[in-house]
Amino acid sequence: MDPNRAHELIEAERARIKELLTYSAAARAADLDAAADARTSVFDSASPLAQELLDDAVAEQLSARLAALDRAGERLRAGTYGVSLRSGRPIPDERLEADPAAELLVDEAGH
């Protein structure tokens, strides 16, 4: 894959994930406010706690995705982008277009 195209894909995905992280943080703050309101009302519910756990899981997944994109950027700078970390075989451009942080070939990712 052309390094400029790879850089463009990585940066676009990084921007998208950062936007989702910002949205997730705002949603978490709103959920914490709702949980505080629920604790002060007569109708206490486990729902705010469940939502808080879900928000945490989403934020963790987004952070992991951002880290994968950081690693992809490092591989791009090192000249090893687009090569499987497991086998050393080239990752098809179609896979990198779909997932610019791909570290493995499709058949390797399932193992």
Side-chain angles (χ1 to χ4, degrees), residues 4 7 9 20 40-41 44 46 52 57 62-64 70 80 82 94 98 101 103 106 110:
N4 290 328
H7 178 73
L9 290 169
L20 288 171
T40 60
S41 73
D44 193 8
E52 184 178 338
L62 290 172
S63 293
D70 289 343
T80 59
E94 297 81 21
E103 297 176 329
V106 170

Side-chain angles (χ1 to χ4, degrees), residues 1-2 5 9 81-82 90-100:
M1 170 173 283
D2 174 66
R5 176 67 180 149
L9 290 169
Y81 181 78
I91 299 171
D93 287 353
E94 297 81 21
R95 175 153 170 76
L96 295 170
E97 286 281 342
D99 179 7

Side-chain angles (χ1 to χ4, degrees), residues 50-68:
Q51 187 61 49
E52 184 178 338
L53 292 172
L54 181 61
D55 291 345
D56 289 346
V58 168
E60 185 176 318
Q61 288 295 315
L62 290 172
S63 293
R65 179 69 178 160
L66 199 54

Side-chain angles (χ1 to χ4, degrees), residues 37-51:
D37 290 345
R39 282 192 286 271
T40 60
S41 73
V42 175
F43 303 101
D44 193 8
S45 170
S47 181
L49 177 59
Q51 187 61 49

